[in-house]
Amino acid sequence: MKTEKKDTKKVKNKIQPDSQPGKMSAVKAFLKSETMHFILGLAIALVAAYALVAFGSFFVYGAADQSVIDNSTTEELLAGEGDVQNMGAIRGAQLADYFVNRQFGAPSVFLFIFLLVMGLKMMRIVKVRLWKWFIGCSLLMVWCSVFFGFMFKDMYEDSFFYLGGLHGYNVSSWLESQVGVTGVLMILFFAAVCILAYLSTQTVIWLRKVFSFGYLKRKKKVTEEEEVSADQPAAVMSADVVEERTKEINLGGPDDDIMVVNAPTDEQGDKVMKDEDEIEDEIEDEEDEVPDEEGLTFEVEVPEDEQLVQMEPYNPRLDLSHYKFPTLDLMKHFDNDGPSVDMEEQQENKGRIVEVLRSFGIEIKTITATVGPTITLYEITLTDGIRIAKIRNLEDDIALQLRALGIRIIAPIPGKGTIGIEVPNKTPRVVSGQSVIGSKAFQESRAELPMVLGKTISNEPFVIDLAKMPHVLVAGATGQGKSVGLNAMIASLLYKKHPAELKLVLVDPKKVEFSVYSELDHHFLAQMEDAKEPVVTDVKKVVRTLNSLCVEMDARYDLLKLAKVRNIKEYNERFNSRRLNPNNGHRFLPYIVVVIDEFGDLIMTAGKEVELPIARIAQLARAVGIHMIIATQRPTTNIITGTIKANFPARVAFRVAAMIDSRTILDRPGANQLIGKGDMLFLQGNDPVRVQCAFIDTPEIENIVKFVSEQQGYPMPFYLPEVADDIDSDGGSAEVDMDKLDSLFEEAARLLVVHQQGSTSLIQRKFSIGYNRAGRLMDQLEKAGIVGPAQGSKPREVLCMDEMALEDKLREMRN
């Protein structure tokens, strides 16, 4: 009976997804769309705004409305018969009365402030952390309710409303009965400190100053100075005296500059600069140490770079601080994925190997076996005087004697004085993705881009670091495990890296292999701004994407040069430690991994247009964190050219049909002797390693993608720099069409002229637009003669000196 039930469940599971798949997918797409989020956010914001208006009216007209609410029946109130003055009408008066008098009192307003902020965030008008707002508003509402209930408990008898509500009155009365008035005050003070410490990291610093009486000392000093200045006339100092005092105070010497710090004016400045109050506190502390003679006061400003160093380290994960990494239960568990030892099979194979070698006059000293998931390695120690070449020629004879395919002889085994004979197991075992990704070797790996490919012959997880390879060439015949191997590589990265640290560019000419990853567009995928889908499938768009990656690579090298570092790891360490200023164009650089599924098809259709940018990225992009994984099922010399092989030192070979294909991939035979189904050779260096690839099926990938995509993502995908559609032979870009100016053209021109700074990031911040649109605006401004040409990482020169010159320029363009 149990078996029948299981079968019935399986049938149901197969039938249900097929019922009306189009409608279900359309509903899911609508629920996840930006339009739905905007509409829902607008509804929440309007409800919150209505409640805030009702609250405000309640404090003005509540006394008159209270009698109407108290003297009317529920039916009369539902019918709206009460005559109230609240701007929210009878429902607004009821709502305000319920929350103010029966719940948390006046602090209930924090609830609707949070709802208003949540609605604006869903509409993508503001960028806030909802969890922090929710916790902060909740804590403030509860604390203020208790505080008002305690401080104004006498009002509960005479007033028409209760400042702390019934909650504040009841809680404060209970606390007072337990610990007394003094105890309640201490509890409220302690709770206030905890809440403020959660809301602002400056709370502890401010409290330290208060408790150390630093404020009183400064106040006393100011008072004494005022008394002295009142008793004595102001001294008139000569220029020589002022210069002498200035030199005394400027301890750094006459050549050092005194920098003036400007308060941040945008979101990026807010993230990396200290608050203005904190800077002023530091200045005041320095003033205490500077000798003050005859009422002369000097303000010494802290240099901007020193302020950045004093701040807490930058954490790129904070934008998605609640992101959870995929769990192991998303993948299947196989009962037969552990090592198995069939002693009878081993003894039989050992006997046949010894027999066939003796028949050819080869005696051996010892023979040992190492059992792997699909292959068993037999290590043989030969007697003295036997030539290795004689063993190599017996490969086919041993295969015939063992009645097995895929026999491979390793003569000798690197680092050992033995000969290896690899023999397929009669009962191969599955290497599950769960077993290798959950292994200690992978979980504790400190590699920058760790990938676990499968298990070796010794049943050890095979973990590699893509950042050190730095690019991988994957090749193999159709159906031998190539796509599964790519899934294992991508899944490894998804399990170990945060969306802030890794971006994937997926190229899929077949249009079906990587479509399952499309839902990761707001987490891990990088794409062109005008792309209709996150996975690149069109050959023309592949060329644009690769050229865009070259632009990104060049931009990153400019940043490395400006920061005086050699690679992305050093650069990000300096950025995270606040030693690089975002106002100077610096930004955190995530790793970018480009995965191309069918490279051969791209070469056949686009040829050099694809090969040249790939070769350029492969040659130069390692230091700036851009890495490539390309795969092909046609490992021929016209596909895997010498340029590609020279720049892809790490290679993965699945089973191929001919020895010449193996030589094309690995520069040696071996791939033609594999048994298929994920059996592969990994080469990085001198000798290949035989690995059984981990099996991660499409449903498992779907589970991982669903787990990630259902979490909060970034508001927009990671956009790659825009490039011109047409690239000429000299490397120049297409002409800018001045007949189709951007709607923000004139506003952007005025912005740059006012600031006298030709910065693309300035346009981005002021108009809240993407990098690509800001770049197009800058190209149009250059074409119009308003800004000069690009100067690397430096801002462009503004050619119009003032707004009058700009208006003349714009007038000429209109005519």
Side-chain angles (χ1 to χ4, degrees):
M1 293 299 291
K2 292 183 179 179
T3 306
E4 292 178 0
K5 289 182 180 180
K6 289 183 179 179
D7 294 340
T8 304
K9 289 181 180 178
K10 289 182 179 178
V11 173
K12 287 181 179 179
N13 290 336
K14 290 182 180 178
I15 293 175
Q16 287 176 354
D18 294 335
S19 58
Q20 299 180 339
K23 293 183 180 180
M24 292 299 297
S25 59
V27 172
K28 289 182 180 179
F30 176 72
L31 292 177
K32 292 183 179 180
S33 65
E34 296 289 336
T35 304
M36 184 61 184
H37 287 181
F38 184 88
I39 293 174
L40 186 59
L42 178 62
I44 295 174
L46 290 176
V47 170
Y50 170 80
L52 291 174
V53 170
F55 267 59
S57 301
F58 179 82
F59 295 114
V60 179
Y61 307 112
D65 295 344
Q66 191 70 26
S67 60
V68 176
I69 296 175
D70 292 341
N71 297 327
S72 301
T73 64
T74 304
E75 291 76 12
E76 291 175 344
L77 293 176
L78 291 176
E81 297 179 1
D83 184 16
V84 297
Q85 300 181 32
N86 192 294
M87 295 179 66
I90 188 67
R91 296 291 173 261
Q94 282 183 285
L95 180 70
D97 175 68
Y98 174 76
F99 277 98
V100 173
N101 288 333
R102 305 179 188 179
Q103 296 300 324
F104 293 91
S108 299
V109 72
F110 286 112
L111 171 63
F112 298 100
I113 291 175
F114 167 74
L115 290 177
L116 179 62
V117 172
M118 183 176 72
L120 295 177
K121 178 178 174 61
M122 294 181 67
M123 297 165 67
R124 302 198 186 282
I125 295 177
V126 297
K127 295 181 180 179
V128 295
R129 297 177 191 166
L130 279 183
W131 271 110
K132 187 167 185 177
W133 270 82
F134 174 74
I135 296 173
C137 289
S138 300
L139 293 175
L140 287 172
M141 181 176 67
V142 174
W143 186 89
C144 291
S145 174
V146 177
F147 177 78
F148 289 152
F150 176 72
M151 299 299 295
F152 304 101
K153 56 185 176 182
D154 295 336
M155 291 179 54
Y156 282 75
E157 298 178 0
D158 303 326
S159 177
F160 68 92
F161 74 96
Y162 308 147
L163 272 178
L166 286 180
H167 167 270
Y169 178 78
N170 293 329
V171 173
S172 60
S173 299
W174 181 82
L175 287 175
E176 186 175 354
S177 67
Q178 299 296 316
V179 296
V181 175
T182 305
V184 174
L185 291 174
M186 289 183 177
I187 292 174
L188 287 172
F189 175 74
F190 177 76
V193 170
C194 293
I195 294 173
L196 292 176
Y198 172 77
L199 295 177
S200 174
T201 56
Q202 302 303 314
T203 301
V204 177
I205 299 174
W206 180 78
L207 287 175
R208 283 174 181 162
K209 292 181 180 179
V210 171
F211 290 151
S212 63
F213 303 103
Y215 172 76
L216 296 177
K217 290 179 181 178
R218 285 197 294 271
K219 186 175 181 180
K220 180 180 179 182
K221 182 177 180 180
V222 172
T223 305
E224 292 175 353
E225 291 174 352
E226 290 176 351
E227 292 176 355
V228 171
S229 60
D231 295 338
Q232 299 179 0
V236 180
M237 303 178 64
S238 64
D240 296 335
V241 175
V242 172
E243 182 178 358
E244 182 179 354
R245 295 280 171 80
T246 305
K247 288 182 179 179
E248 291 175 359
I249 294 175
N250 187 9
L251 301 179
D255 295 332
D256 291 348
D257 295 330
I258 298 179
M259 300 179 63
V260 179
V261 179
N262 295 321
T265 58
D266 50 57
E267 293 182 2
Q268 291 184 352
D270 291 341
K271 292 181 180 178
V272 299
M273 297 290 292
K274 285 189 175 181
D275 292 336
E276 187 176 358
D277 294 338
E278 183 181 350
I279 297 174
E280 291 176 357
D281 289 340
E282 291 179 358
I283 295 172
E284 290 175 0
D285 292 339
E286 290 187 14
E287 288 175 357
D288 292 343
E289 299 175 2
V290 175
D292 187 12
E293 300 179 5
E294 301 182 9
L296 185 63
T297 302
F298 291 89
E299 293 186 359
V300 181
E301 300 284 354
V302 181
E304 186 174 9
D305 292 339
E306 291 185 12
Q307 297 173 33
L308 296 175
V309 173
Q310 293 173 6
M311 296 180 66
E312 295 180 358
Y314 172 74
N315 184 1
R317 297 185 177 187
L318 283 181
D319 290 336
L320 297 181
S321 58
H322 298 286
Y323 175 80
K324 295 181 180 179
F325 289 85
T327 56
L328 293 177
D329 58 2
L330 299 173
M331 293 184 290
K332 297 178 183 176
H333 173 73
F334 292 89
D335 294 331
N336 65 337
D337 63 351
S340 64
V341 179
D342 188 340
M343 296 304 299
E344 183 179 348
E345 179 183 352
Q346 286 187 36
Q347 293 300 328
E348 183 180 352
N349 287 338
K350 285 181 181 180
R352 290 180 177 178
I353 291 173
V354 172
E355 181 180 348
V356 70
L357 291 177
R358 281 179 179 171
S359 65
F360 287 95
I362 300 175
E363 294 291 336
I364 63 176
K365 293 180 180 178
T366 60
I367 179 170
T368 58
T370 303
V371 182
T374 56
I375 299 294
T376 298
L377 173 64
Y378 295 91
E379 292 189 42
I380 299 170
T381 304
L382 300 176
T383 57
D384 298 337
I386 304 296
R387 299 183 60 185
I388 294 178
K390 193 173 182 180
I391 296 289
R392 290 174 178 164
N393 296 331
L394 298 177
E395 194 168 70
D396 294 335
D397 297 286
I398 296 174
L400 178 63
Q401 188 69 22
L402 296 178
R403 301 178 182 88
L405 297 175
I407 297 292
R408 196 170 76 100
I409 294 180
I410 309 171
I413 295 177
K416 298 182 179 181
T418 57
I419 303 296
I421 302 176
E422 296 175 345
V423 181
N425 297 334
K426 290 182 179 179
T427 307
R429 296 203 165 238
V430 177
V431 176
S432 67
Q434 188 185 72
S435 65
V436 293
I437 290 180
S439 64
K440 183 177 180 181
F442 179 73
Q443 292 294 329
E444 297 182 359
S445 174
R446 296 186 178 180
E448 293 296 321
L449 293 173
M451 298 191 305
V452 58
L453 301 184
K455 289 185 177 181
T456 62
I457 290 180
S458 58
N459 271 295
E460 295 294 330
F462 188 70
V463 182
I464 57 177
D465 186 3
L466 179 61
K468 293 182 178 179
M469 290 196 286
H471 312 288
V472 184
L473 171 64
V474 182
T478 304
Q480 302 304 316
K482 179 169 45 54
S483 297
V484 175
L486 293 178
N487 283 338
M489 296 179 187
I490 296 174
S492 300
L493 296 173
L494 296 181
Y495 266 87
K496 287 290 285 187
K497 305 302 291 184
H498 189 276
E501 302 165 341
L502 171 69
K503 299 300 173 185
L504 298 173
V505 177
L506 303 182
V507 179
D508 182 15
K510 292 191 289 187
K511 304 181 181 181
V512 294
E513 294 295 342
F514 292 152
S515 59
V516 67
Y517 297 102
S518 298
E519 296 182 10
L520 299 179
D521 54 340
H522 286 264
H523 294 84
F524 284 101
L525 299 189
Q527 62 187 74
M528 303 292 292
E529 186 174 11
D530 57 353
K532 295 182 180 179
E533 51 188 14
V535 177
V536 187
T537 56
D538 188 3
V539 175
K540 294 182 179 179
K541 294 181 179 178
V542 172
V543 176
R544 287 191 63 219
T545 301
L546 293 174
N547 287 324
S548 175
L549 287 167
C550 291
V551 174
E552 174 70 14
M553 177 183 70
D554 294 335
R556 291 187 171 202
Y557 267 113
D558 289 337
L559 292 177
L560 263 64
K561 177 182 177 182
L562 192 62
K564 299 179 181 179
V565 295
R566 298 195 304 172
N567 55 58
I568 185 175
K569 186 176 180 180
E570 295 177 4
Y571 178 88
N572 283 338
E573 287 176 354
R574 289 177 66 89
F575 185 85
N576 292 342
S577 60
R578 306 284 187 178
R579 298 164 68 186
L580 300 176
N581 194 337
N583 290 334
N584 296 333
H586 291 291
R587 55 192 169 95
F588 181 81
L589 301 180
Y591 284 94
I592 298 178
V593 177
V594 186
V595 186
I596 303 176
D597 180 44
E598 187 41 70
F599 176 68
D601 184 70
L602 296 180
I603 290 293
M604 293 179 66
T605 53
K608 292 293 183 182
E609 291 185 67
V610 170
E611 184 178 358
L612 290 178
I614 286 179
R616 187 162 183 262
I617 293 171
Q619 290 171 353
L620 300 174
R622 172 182 183 175
V624 293
I626 302 178
H627 305 275
M628 301 192 73
I629 302 172
I630 63 174
T632 180
Q633 62 183 3
R634 290 192 292 271
T636 56
T637 53
N638 62 330
I639 301 296
I640 305 176
T641 61
T643 304
I644 295 297
K645 290 177 65 175
N647 293 292
F648 284 78
R651 301 169 200 171
V652 174
F654 291 89
R655 185 184 180 186
V656 294
M659 182 185 297
I660 189 172
D661 294 337
S662 178
R663 291 187 181 276
T664 303
I665 306 167
L666 303 174
D667 297 322
R668 70 195 71 197
N672 56 309
Q673 298 168 322
L674 300 175
I675 62 174
K677 296 183 179 180
D679 189 18
M680 69 181 191
L681 291 174
F682 175 82
L683 176 66
Q684 186 184 15
N686 297 326
D687 301 294
V689 179
R690 194 164 185 174
V691 179
Q692 178 61 38
C693 183
F695 180 70
I696 303 180
D697 204 1
T698 302
E700 298 174 85
I701 295 295
E702 291 175 349
N703 292 338
I704 298 171
V705 171
K706 182 179 179 182
F707 180 87
V708 174
S709 62
E710 289 181 347
Q711 301 185 56
Q712 179 186 2
Y714 293 101
M716 295 185 298
F718 184 89
Y719 289 129
L720 297 172
E722 187 174 356
V723 293
D725 291 331
D726 300 322
I727 304 294
D728 59 30
S729 58
D730 296 329
S733 61
E735 292 293 326
V736 177
D737 188 359
M738 298 300 292
D739 295 330
K740 298 180 180 179
L741 293 178
D742 193 287
S743 59
L744 295 175
F745 176 81
E746 294 189 6
E747 294 181 53
R750 293 187 180 94
L751 174 70
L752 299 188
V753 170
V754 168
H755 287 80
Q756 284 296 302
Q757 180 182 3
S759 170
T760 305
S761 60
L762 177 63
I763 297 177
Q764 282 183 263
R765 294 195 301 269
K766 293 301 181 183
F767 298 113
S768 299
I769 60 177
Y771 176 84
N772 294 334
R773 186 180 179 187
R776 286 195 298 269
L777 274 168
M778 191 63 74
D779 292 338
Q780 293 173 358
L781 293 169
E782 179 186 354
K783 183 71 174 179
I786 298 173
V787 299
Q791 304 179 28
S793 59
K794 297 180 180 179
R796 297 171 184 247
E797 179 185 3
V798 180
L799 303 180
C800 295
M801 301 303 296
D802 51 33
E803 293 188 68
M804 186 176 296
L806 173 63
E807 292 300 329
D808 294 339
K809 177 76 69 175
L810 295 177
R811 197 177 300 110
E812 292 177 6
M813 293 178 61
R814 297 189 192 103
N815 298 333

